[in-house]
Amino acid sequence: MNLSLPRAARRGLAHEAADVIRTAIFAGDFAPGAPLREVELATALGVSRGSVREGLTLLEREGLIRGGWHRGTTVIEVTPHDVEEVYAVRGALDRLAAISAAANPQQLAPLDELVDAMATEIAGAASGPRLLALDIAFHDHIYDAAGNQRLSQAWQTLRSQVYLFQMHRVAVGYEHYRDRVIDEHRQLAVLLRSGDHETLGRCAEEHVNSARRNLLAHLSA
């Protein structure tokens, strides 16, 4: 396999290798279930096999890839079981993050800017990957505004899997995603300032469950 990937900016750094490989996975260069071979990656990135090995270990901790002594390293697959697990955990985390962030309304202005950027994107070319990047940035900011370091760490542990699953959701059900992405995020932005924590928590969880149901429907089709 002749890979063409951007070379790591600094040789020998595991984090740099992990960043490039992660970006390639999110770009679809490595599909779910695709093998990741150390020798090929090291050659393509211009780093040592040891750096690639360490980088892959970082990605495995994120849940983005799977590996073992008796099998090769592969990108995780999008299975109904994994979707159920990831979205169940994400729903609980997003609920807590939203309620916690509501206590810091002065930090929520960027959410409106991100929703406006989604609207601009849809009014133009409406790129699925670009919309997804704005979507994830919206939730990143909620976790930042929540001001809970351990909650943010839990989100970072799950974030790569969520990104990959949402990427697959956009690929197989783009119209469903496009038609809901603005309204659902604008509703969350409004509720975060409303003081109605019960409705906010319920909406945050339903936002996740809607994505889960849509993705599962396409997986079982």
Side-chain angles (χ1 to χ4, degrees):
M1 183 177 181
N2 187 13
L3 295 177
S4 176
L5 296 175
R7 289 182 177 268
R10 297 184 297 279
R11 295 176 65 87
L13 295 179
H15 285 279
E16 198 70 40
D19 288 346
V20 175
I21 296 168
R22 185 190 303 106
T23 298
I25 292 171
F26 291 159
D29 296 333
F30 298 104
L36 297 170
R37 300 182 177 90
E38 281 183 18
V39 174
E40 293 175 352
L41 290 169
T43 300
L45 295 171
V47 299
S48 68
R49 287 185 64 183
S51 294
V52 169
R53 189 179 305 117
E54 291 177 35
L56 292 176
T57 297
L58 293 173
L59 297 179
E60 189 168 7
R61 289 174 186 165
E62 296 177 12
L64 190 58
I65 67 175
R66 291 193 175 109
W69 288 105
H70 303 296
R71 59 179 180 178
T73 300
T74 61
V75 180
I76 61 169
E77 297 193 55
V78 184
T79 69
H81 175 74
D82 288 338
V83 168
E84 290 282 11
E85 285 195 348
V86 167
Y87 282 80
V89 175
R90 185 194 172 187
L93 293 178
D94 274 20
R95 180 186 182 94
L96 177 57
I99 292 173
S100 300
N104 301 304
Q106 70 280 2
Q107 298 183 32
L108 301 177
L111 298 181
D112 300 314
E113 297 171 8
L114 287 165
V115 174
D116 288 343
M118 293 176 192
T120 299
E121 187 68 32
I122 287 178
S127 161
R130 175 60 180 159
L131 280 176
L132 178 56
L134 292 169
D135 180 340
I136 297 295
F138 181 98
H139 292 284
D140 283 341
H141 193 80
I142 291 177
Y143 279 90
D144 289 342
N148 184 322
Q149 183 179 359
R150 287 173 174 79
L151 179 60
S152 291
Q153 289 172 344
W155 166 240
Q156 288 303 317
T157 299
L158 198 68
R159 185 181 185 276
S160 288
Q161 296 174 71
V162 169
Y163 211 124
L164 181 65
F165 288 2
Q166 286 290 87
M167 184 180 75
H168 189 73
R169 176 199 173 197
V170 171
V172 298
Y174 176 66
E175 290 187 3
H176 180 276
Y177 178 76
R178 181 198 60 199
D179 292 345
R180 289 161 175 76
V181 66
I182 294 176
D183 290 343
E184 289 186 6
H185 287 89
R186 197 178 299 282
Q187 181 184 27
L188 282 171
V190 170
L191 285 172
L192 280 159
R193 301 179 176 93
S194 70
D196 184 351
H197 289 181
E198 181 178 350
T199 302
L200 171 61
R202 186 169 61 249
C203 181
E205 283 193 295
E206 174 53 28
H207 176 65
V208 175
N209 286 331
S210 174
R212 175 185 58 80
R213 289 192 300 266
N214 180 251
L215 181 50
L216 287 173
H218 285 283
L219 290 177
S220 62

